[in-house]
Amino acid sequence: MTERTMRAVASYRGLPVEDPESLVDVELPLPDPGPRDVLVRVRAVSVNPVDVKVRAGLPASGGPRVLGFDAAGVVEAVGEEVTTLQAGDEVWYAGDLDRAGSNAEFQAVDERLVARKPRSLGFAEAAALPLTGITAWETLFDRFALDTRSTGTLLALGGAGGVGSILIQLAKQLTGLRVLASAGRPETAQWVTGLGADVVVDHHDLAATAAAAAPEGVDYLLSPHSAGNVGTYARIMRPGGHITAIDEPEGLDLLPLKAKSIAWHWEFMFTRPMFRTPDMIEHKNLLQKIAALVDDGRIRSTVTTTIEDFSAAGLRRAHAMVESGRSIGKVVVTR
């Protein structure tokens, strides 16, 4: 490798993860950071459902597309207008849909999206949290508008998934909510209970078990799999309740929610960087708050599998685990 190139893992078109061409090792030019960018030497990344979705749906391209969002690493250099970070800082972030991703030796990222990682975590543990942490934080405090005085019942569907695993912890630490979490296997039930969930409901029989756990109705609900479930939500939610969806179901009919005046919110953590909103720096701010909670011992990393192979083969293995739908917590790949 020459001085101005780097190793990366890229895709040229959407392919099944079993195809060795779905993710390939490449050598690319070193990113040139812009005025507000930091250049990060990536030490670890995690794989999310969005990574799998983007990879599988890539249109054919003449050039390589570097994927990846979650990352932890060390700042190598900074742009001329950067004021919040400096070379040598250990950082974490979830990145941006519109730029080259984290599955590379180096990545240029806007400083407003990057924060110093928790001092108490290694790079692998830290890489598990940014994307899901931002999603969970924005769900609780932006979409649901909760605070430390908030009470009621929160149902985290897919409680053992990446977002559910951090949502449970944040809700228990920063609100007065009673937290229900769904699980479908003994091991996932044990996982969500260990994270602080007050009650486990069976997502194979959601209507009955949620109604038994919250007979007055659920106040707040996280929906990672909305298709086919709106009718059930209408039954188990209280009047005036709130649902936040993090998926993208086609042709969703929300009319069953009208009778109870149930509010439906969308959460997409890439909205701020995608539209360069005036408050884009909130990603840095909330990552700093999560880091403080981690270092205070109030929140723990959700990594459950670490693959020590930062290559196309290692990332294909991680994608396959996430794509199976049976992984618990987060899968991390380290350099």
Side-chain angles (χ1 to χ4, degrees):
M1 187 180 80
T2 64
E3 185 178 357
R4 300 299 300 174
T5 63
M6 66 174 183
R7 294 179 296 274
V9 176
S11 182
Y12 288 83
R13 64 191 186 282
L15 291 168
V17 72
E18 298 83 8
D19 192 318
E21 297 298 312
S22 61
L23 292 167
V24 296
D25 295 303
V26 296
E27 188 171 310
L28 298 174
L30 194 70
D32 188 16
R36 295 208 66 174
D37 289 344
V38 292
L39 182 66
V40 179
R41 184 185 292 270
V42 178
R43 296 286 301 276
V45 300
S46 74
V47 175
N48 299 277
V50 67
D51 295 81
V52 170
K53 180 179 178 180
V54 171
R55 187 213 80 243
L58 274 181
S61 171
R65 170 82 181 272
V66 178
L67 309 179
F69 301 107
D70 274 331
V74 181
V75 175
E76 189 82 4
V78 301
E80 58 189 17
E81 296 179 14
V82 171
T83 60
T84 61
L85 295 164
Q86 60 187 1
D89 284 342
E90 297 184 350
V91 296
W92 63 346
Y93 55 90
D96 187 339
L97 273 176
D98 299 325
R99 303 184 67 177
S102 58
N103 295 344
E105 194 174 2
F106 294 93
Q107 185 182 15
V109 193
D110 191 299
E111 67 166 323
R112 290 168 288 184
L113 306 177
V114 182
R116 292 180 181 86
K117 75 171 183 64
R119 297 183 304 275
S120 58
L121 295 186
F123 292 107
E125 297 170 303
L129 290 177
L131 188 149
T132 54
I134 293 170
T135 300
W137 189 284
E138 290 183 346
T139 294
L140 292 172
F141 306 116
D142 293 351
R143 310 294 163 249
F144 292 152
L146 300 171
D147 59 31
T148 55
R149 299 164 295 178
S150 298
T151 57
T153 299
L154 167 71
L155 172 54
L157 296 180
V163 176
S165 293
I166 187 68
L167 185 90
I168 292 166
Q169 296 184 77
L170 290 174
K172 291 303 296 182
Q173 290 296 322
L174 300 179
T175 77
L177 295 176
R178 177 172 174 253
V179 178
L180 281 55
S182 77
R185 294 174 280 152
E187 56 267 37
T188 53
Q190 183 179 9
W191 172 259
V192 299
T193 300
L195 295 173
D198 297 295
V199 180
V200 180
V201 300
D202 183 355
H203 65 227
H204 299 301
D205 190 12
L206 182 61
T209 56
E216 302 300 317
V218 172
D219 297 279
Y220 306 97
L221 184 147
L222 171 74
S223 177
H225 304 291
S226 305
N229 287 321
V230 175
T232 300
Y233 297 168
R235 292 196 293 276
I236 66 176
M237 296 292 294
R238 72 160 176 81
H242 293 259
I243 298 169
T244 290
I246 60 173
D247 58 343
E248 299 175 7
E250 294 185 7
L252 196 66
D253 178 11
L254 300 179
L255 193 58
L257 306 178
K258 181 179 179 180
K260 287 185 177 178
S261 299
I262 297 167
W264 185 275
H265 308 268
W266 294 109
E267 164 56 25
F268 186 53
M269 64 130 287
F270 294 110
T271 295
R272 281 172 164 137
M274 178 182 289
F275 292 97
R276 296 294 186 266
T277 60
D279 67 345
M280 191 168 89
I281 200 168
E282 281 304 304
H283 275 204
K284 176 192 292 288
N285 295 338
L286 67 87
L287 284 173
Q288 289 174 333
K289 293 173 184 175
I290 294 173
L293 290 167
V294 171
D295 285 337
D296 288 344
R298 300 174 66 186
I299 298 291
R300 65 179 175 88
S301 175
T302 55
V303 62
T304 53
T305 301
T306 300
I307 298 172
E308 298 178 354
D309 180 9
F310 205 114
S311 69
L315 279 158
R316 284 196 303 270
R317 181 180 161 202
H319 274 241
M321 292 182 67
V322 173
E323 204 168 289
S324 74
R326 295 185 62 82
S327 59
I328 298 174
K330 293 295 293 292
V331 180
V332 171
V333 181
T334 62
R335 188 176 302 286

